[in-house]
Structures are given as C-alpha cells and as structure tokens.
Amino acid sequence: MPKSDTKNSNNMNKENKTTPTKKIEELQTHKERKTVLMQGNEAVAYGALDAGCNFFAGYPITPSTEIAEILAAELPKRGGVFVQMEDELGSICAVIGASLAGAKALTATSGPGFSLMQEGIGFARSTETPCVVVDVQRVGPSTGMPTSCAQGDIQQSRWGTHGDSPAIVLYPDSVKESYELTIRAINLSEKYRTCVILLLDEVLGHMREAVRLPDMANVRVISRIKPTVPPQWYKHYENTEKYPSPMYSFGEGYRFHVTGLTHDVLGFPTNKPNEAAEMMSKLKKKITYNIRDLVQIESFQMEDAKIAVFAAGITARSAKAAVTLARKEGIPAGLLRPLTIWPFPDDAVRKMLRNVDTVIVPELNQGQLIREIERLVKDRSDSKLIKIQRVDSKLIPPQDILQKIKEGI
Amino acid sequence: MPTIPQKIIHEYLRHDKKFPHVWCAGCSNGIVLGSIIRAIAGMNLDRNDIVMVSGIGCSSRMPVYVDFNTLHTLHGRAIAFATGIKLHKPHLKVIVVTGDGDCAAIGGNHLIHAARRNIDLSVIMLNNNIYGMTGGQVSPTTPHKAYATTAPYGNIEPDFDVCKLAIGAGATYVARTTAFHTQETQNMVKEAIEHPGFALIEVICACPVIYGRLNKKGGAPEMMKEMRDNSIPLAAVDKLPPEKVQGKIIRGVLHKDIRPEYCALYADLVKKAQALGGSE
Amino acid sequence: MPKKVQKDRIGMIIREEDTPEKMEVELPEIKETGDESSPVLIYYNWCKKCGICVAFCPTGCLGRKADGSPYVLAPEKCIHCETCDLLCPDFAITGAKER
C-alpha cells in the first residue's frame, strides 16, 4: 500500500468543498486502534484492509452494503481499487480478474447475490485463483426478509456451485472474530489459491460491539509467493504438495493461460481422462490433506460435558449463554462451535460424540447443520440428537436451548 | 516444429498448442486471429503487457493459441473479468475477444456498463450471427427471418445493431468491419488498442458450416464474397442513393470521441482521497 | 492396446474399454508442396480445404484438387500479393516473397 505523506489539513483548497460525509470522518478515528464501538460489517472491512486487500468489486445488497461503503472510502486512500459493478456476476468476475492480475480481491454480498456468484466461485476454485466472498446471510429463500437473520446459506456455501469443488468456509460469531476471520479468509485464499467464503449472520453484520483491533504489528498476513523457475518451466498448476504453491500473476513476465475448462498442469484445456483425474484430485487434496491447518473449532466447557450443544454463528452465542446457565444449575453441559464450517470438523464432532450421549443442534434454518451431525452419528446408535430449528426470523433465545438441555439430561 | 510459412504469425502462436486450430474449415475466426496478430506485431508492444480475455463460444477459443497473458472466462463475463484486470493494472493492454452471443446476449449488461464507464478495453466482437459452438442457435444479431436450430421457422425477432448499442451506452471508439477486410481489421485493432477509452470493433464473420448451411449461403468462399460485395465503406454512404445503402454492411469507424478514461478518473480519485483522508 | 473388460456377476460383459495408455502426441510429419523455388508454399497439415485462397487469388495462380485442397496451378502468375496469406483461416499458405 503506497504510503501517502501529504497531510490534508493545509491544502484543502476551495475546489473540493465536498468534504467527506460525517461517517467517513468518524471512521478515520480508528487509526490509533483504541477500543471502539464497531459494527460487524465494519470489522470485516477493516479486516480486509489489514490483510492487504487492495481490490473490492461489489454490488449493494442488504445486509452487506456497509462493507462496500467503508471500502469505498478506505480503499482509495490506500491506493486500492473500489468499483461498484453493474451486478453480482460482474462483481465476482472483476474480483477474479483482479486477482489473476495480482490483487488481493474481495467481494461482499448476501443471499440473492451469493446465488448469482456461484458460477464465479466455481471458476475461482477450478482455476485456483485466490479471492474471498463474504456472504452476510439474511432470511431466504428469494428476497425473504433482507434485514432479518437466518442461517440458510450453510449448505449453499458448500454445494452452491455446480460440479465437485471442495470449499473453505469460515463462520465468525462476534464482531472481533469477524475481523480475525476476514484476515484468515484472505490468508487461506492466498495460501491455498482458492475462493474462501466468509459466512456472517445479518445480526452479526449489523450489531455493534466494543472492539479493540490488534496493532498492525501482530497481524499475520500471507501473500502468494513467486516461483523461482525461469519462464519456460513455469507450470501454473504444478502440484507442489506444499502450500502456498508458487504462483505468478498477469503482467509479471510469465505468460500463461487460465481457463474454466478442465485444464492440465500448464493450464491448457484437456480432455484426457488422466489429466482430468489429476486436476480433480489436486483440488480435493488441497483441502483434505490440510484439514489440520484449515479447521478451527471452539470447545467451551466440553471437558466433562455429558450433554453438548453444536451451534455456529449467532446461535452459538445463545448456546454459550444456555450452557453457562446450565452449569450454574450443576448440569454438565458444553458447547462445540465450528469457526471453519467447511471442511466440516468431522474429527472434533466424532470426539464429542464419543464422550457425550446427547447433542443439541440449534440453528436458524430447517436442518442444514444437523444433517452433518446425523452423517457422523450414523454408526453410533446410542447418541441422541435434539434439534431446535427456527425460521421465523427471530433468534433462538438461551432459555429455549436451556430447556432442551434439561430435557436431554 | 514444422516450419509455418507465415513468419509473423509463427512468432505469436503458442507452439505447444495443437495446430491446426479447433475452428471449422473456412471459419472467419482464424482470419480475424491473423489480422489481430498482424496488428499487434506492427505495434511492437511488450508481450508481457498484453492480456487477451475471452468468454465462451467459438471465437472465445482464440486466446489459447496466442502467446500473451490469456484468460478464457465464463460465458458473457469476459468484459467483467477484463474490468478487474484493467483496474488493478491499468498499464496492461487488455483485449477482449468475444462473440455476438457472448457479448450482446448474456454479456450485454457488462458491455453497456463498461462502455458507460469508458474503461480502456479493446473489445473485438466476432459477429457470425449464430451460436456456433452449441450447434447453431439464434443469437441477438441473427437477421430477421434467418434460420437457426432454435428458429426453424425463421427468426421472428429483430436483431441488434451492437455498434449503435455501444455508442448509445457511451463507447468512445466504435468501428465495424468484416473478416474479409483484413487490412481494415488490422488498422482498427491498432487504433482500438491505442484509443484511451472503451473501444468496440464489430467484425462480421462467416460461419459456413452452421449458419451458412442452415441459411443456404454456400461455402466459405461464397460467404466471403458476400462480405466483400455486400459491404460499403462509411465514406460512401452519403454519396450513394438510399436504396444502394439499404441492407448493406457499413464498414468504418462509426464513432470516435474522447471522454475521460475510467482508470484515469480513478487515479484522480485516489489522489483526492489521499489528500483528504491522509492514508495510514 | 489391452482391453479392460468389466463383467457383471454372471459373466456378461458390461463395459469394454481400452486402457488409456500414456497418450503421446504424434508429431505431424512435415509435408510441404514444391521446392523452395515455388512462389506459393502450402502447408497441407494445417490446410482444411476451405477453398478461400483459391477463390480469392487475383491472378488465378491457385487451383483446387478433387479433394478440395489448393495447389499451385500456374506458378508464373503469382504476384506475391499475399492475399492468400491474409485470408487463410489456418495460416497454411503463403505467397510472401521472403519467408
């Protein structure tokens, strides 16, 4: 990010009478990293900036528009590019184009836009081009309730695009964590050269919490590394087993081809079965061989828990309150929360199932999370699964979960 | 490597790609590719700074054959990808190769907005009036009453004049030529690349195997002859009586003016923002 | 190539497919017409016999064989105008003076 040393106080000439709007001035105060009241979407925007994001292409959609608004003000100051495209299709494509040209590119949308971006997400995964899509979920299906909360895109973030392409999807449950996971999403996208999706809940995107962002010094940022081979030996899709695998961008002296067609190691289209198999296995292994690095979970009071709650995002906060209340009443309850929703934390859930006989799965949809637990509980007949599903746009209060915990014991 | 007689072309082709290329016998895509290469060869640009982006379709199989930074994107989205590349690295020369369906049908929204923004892209639309890759379906530029596999009784829809559409949307360089007029194509490609703004060249192409057969236009030579005889230069339009102009392909630079280019506008915005906000 | 045969329980052949060996790309052997002195050089490996060069050669120097492919009918008529170069969709012919 090019440093700009022009101090703006004295040279405010008549011409740019239009001083920035109040909101932007208020945002500028965050420079000194003191504790501020920050909105979830804001945290995502600042996470992106701190992770080195220098390109945003997006389209207005409630409840993620604040991310675009903030980046529209902050990116130009850092020499980055902000563009509001004509639709979400243009947004994801501009993001991938910029990434191929070397940018750290990100877009933010919500349900309807997320559906439009699926083909682009598939293209990014197939061509192994780093980018991040932030999906601030809202009540669906279709236009649904734009300002109300739901967790209905969980399976879409995994299976939304056609064809087999493994996904990396992160899921924060607080404003601070939104900041942290945005940085982690950009880092993972650069490291594993794929499209990483960040799921937020509408409530999280819009609510404000007191947050003190870490100083830049201790923000760990990963960027793609440059190959050392001479141009004629450069293979854009070399299977390096080790990540980040070196990658060039357009305009850096290495001319290569990128296509949405199934490609060979060089990037040219191929119809050969063995090369197609090789490409597909590389895309898969990139995720399955690095589960340990990718999966992050929070286990809260699970050490001696007899009954556990498995929840993600905003619902996990109610679950944590319920677990705390249950503990006060002497009930050995615990919470397991995935920060990485895909690849799904199978091992952590299996471990939980071994020493816990009842699992409660509260979620703001009609069973998108619980089906993953059912998949893992199949071979263990004695575990009991209790579901709490709510799709009336209201959040699940801790009392509802507490009541199920009591029933479950 | 077999010695390819045409020296200029030889230098710009990717040798590890399988030749002869994928297009049918007599298809104009190969001719236009030759014209594009000859135009670029005459401009002594640094190959590392040229990016060729294409969508999906017959003409969009072009980038894989040329030794530039090449990108074969999604159907209709070439211009959106190109916008992303150009905004991040404005010094790159971004050429978009696209077809009539790819550009004016599914990609229409990106076409008109890129034109409105006047971003410095050179869009070469190869218009063969049909969806060739998928076997001959009707496209927005298929003439009224012409036949296509999805217009077996003749196309009832009126077609687009993509050049007028682009001019209306704000493109600052719009030209039309045919694949037969290779010299004119070369000049226009050169001008488009040098033009600081959104440039669209519509190249009328022949698709003998599909469009030609469905509409009984004869083989490739006959379709090329029709291009030659059925088109008139822009300068001649006002000299000829109206009935001579009616139904003819009008070739030439239809529109050219200068408007602030989008990347330049954005660079000013960055200066202004940094002056106001004082970045970290 | 050895066939990989897939049989069902009662021995009926379900699928028979050649095992895809390493598909090496067979290099096109170079077959060019005439010697260096010929004014027009045609590269038959790439020529798709579309007939455009023959139709548009201004002096009728090129002729078309039964199978549609071009050949140099009258070498002396060639004026090196390179129309065939420009109009060949497959870059398979050149009338240029220096090659």
Side-chain angles (χ1 to χ4, degrees), chain A residues 86-87, chain B residues 75-77 79 98-115 140 160 162 165-166 169 198:
Chain A
E86 48 275 9
D87 50 29
Chain B
H75 191 34
R77 311 301 165 207
I79 288 177
T98 174
D100 46 303
D102 189 57
C103 181
I106 185 169
N109 198 21
H110 307 304
L111 168 69
I112 55 176
H113 287 278
F160 258 161
V162 180
L165 177 70
F198 187 82

Side-chain angles (χ1 to χ4, degrees), chain A residues 173 177 296-327 331-339 348-349 351-352 356 358-363 369 373 401 405:
Chain A
D173 80 338
E177 204 171 67
Q296 265 185 341
I297 51 146
E298 176 197 2
S299 61
F300 174 73
Q301 304 200 348
M302 285 290 288
E303 301 72 21
D304 60 347
K306 278 287 153 280
I307 177 164
V309 183
F310 184 88
I314 201 74
T315 311
R317 295 173 71 121
S318 304
K320 193 174 273 186
V323 162
T324 314
L325 291 171
R327 283 282 172 175
I331 303 169
L335 163 72
L336 192 70
R337 176 175 71 92
L339 281 77
V349 170
K351 190 157 131 299
M352 166 183 80
V356 151
T358 313
V359 177
I360 300 169
V361 182
E363 50 193 326
L369 214 50
I373 313 290
I401 302 173
I405 291 177

Side-chain angles (χ1 to χ4, degrees), chain B residues 17-248:
Chain B
K17 268 313 291 167
K18 215 168 90 51
F19 281 88
H21 50 56
V22 74
W23 295 308
C24 314
C27 168
S28 303
N29 285 339
I31 304 169
V32 177
L33 169 58
S35 305
I36 293 173
I37 290 180
R38 288 188 184 90
I40 292 176
M43 293 172 73
N44 58 44
L45 297 169
D46 177 355
R47 247 180 257 192
N48 294 324
D49 291 345
I50 300 174
V51 184
M52 188 181 270
V53 187
S54 69
I56 295 288
C58 294
S59 52
S60 295
R61 296 301 291 264
M62 191 182 285
V64 81
Y65 294 111
V66 286
D67 181 14
F68 303 132
N69 302 289
T70 52
L71 173 59
H72 180 205
T73 69
L74 303 171
H75 191 34
R77 311 301 165 207
I79 288 177
F81 275 87
T83 303
I85 296 170
K86 185 70 183 180
L87 279 172
H88 181 62
K89 278 189 173 155
H91 70 280
L92 292 182
K93 296 269 186 270
V94 183
I95 301 164
V96 178
V97 174
T98 174
D100 46 303
D102 189 57
C103 181
I106 185 169
N109 198 21
H110 307 304
L111 168 69
I112 55 176
H113 287 278
R116 171 180 60 84
R117 289 193 194 98
N118 192 31
I119 183 165
D120 181 8
L121 295 176
S122 316
V123 179
I124 304 167
M125 188 189 84
L126 285 83
N127 181 6
N128 57 3
N129 297 332
I130 196 102
Y131 279 87
M133 177 68 81
T134 42
Q137 294 70 34
V138 69
S139 95
T141 56
T142 303
H144 190 49
K145 293 202 181 68
Y147 291 97
T149 56
T150 49
Y153 305 104
N155 179 22
I156 58 171
E157 294 176 8
D159 58 341
F160 258 161
D161 179 331
V162 180
C163 286
K164 284 205 179 91
L165 177 70
I167 294 168
T172 46
Y173 178 92
V174 177
R176 177 186 298 123
T177 180
T178 80
F180 175 79
H181 301 87
T182 52
Q183 197 55 49
E184 191 177 48
T185 309
Q186 282 175 46
N187 300 342
M188 286 177 180
V189 167
K190 185 170 181 302
E191 276 173 17
I193 294 174
E194 282 160 356
H195 175 73
F198 187 82
L200 174 82
I201 308 170
E202 178 187 10
V203 185
I204 305 293
C205 289
C207 171
V209 166
I210 293 181
Y211 186 83
R213 183 177 298 147
L214 285 172
N215 290 282
K216 297 182 183 49
K217 295 275 184 187
E222 289 70 28
M223 290 184 87
M224 297 290 283
K225 283 197 177 91
E226 196 202 338
M227 272 190 218
R228 179 189 62 191
D229 308 336
N230 191 23
S231 67
I232 48 171
L234 185 61
V237 168
D238 36 31
K239 294 195 190 66
L240 294 169
E243 73 280 358
K244 268 265 190 332
V245 176
Q246 228 277 332
K248 284 271 199 312

Side-chain angles (χ1 to χ4, degrees), chain A residues 62-74:
Chain A
T62 304
S64 76
T65 317
E66 290 81 5
I67 299 174
E69 286 169 344
I70 295 164
L71 290 178
E74 292 300 316

Side-chain angles (χ1 to χ4, degrees), chain A residues 128-189:
Chain A
E128 301 193 51
T129 309
C131 64
V132 170
V133 174
V134 181
D135 172 25
V136 187
Q137 301 170 92
R138 74 192 207 180
V139 170
S142 182
T143 314
M145 293 192 219
T147 57
S148 295
C149 194
Q151 301 179 307
D153 305 353
I154 290 175
Q155 291 290 345
Q156 179 183 19
S157 66
R158 173 69 184 86
W159 304 104
T161 190
H162 61 282
D164 286 300
S165 60
I168 302 177
V169 182
L170 311 182
Y171 206 155
D173 80 338
S174 71
V175 170
K176 181 109 170 36
E177 204 171 67
S178 306
Y179 170 82
E180 285 152 3
L181 289 192
T182 303
I183 294 177
R184 187 165 144 74
I186 291 178
N187 286 349
L188 290 179
S189 77

Side-chain angles (χ1 to χ4, degrees), chain A residues 8 77 86 250 255 257-258, chain B residues 48 70 89 110 275-276 279:
Chain A
N8 64 352
K77 284 194 260 179
E86 48 275 9
F250 285 157
R255 299 182 298 279
H257 183 65
V258 171
Chain B
N48 294 324
T70 52
K89 278 189 173 155
H110 307 304
L276 281 175
S279 72

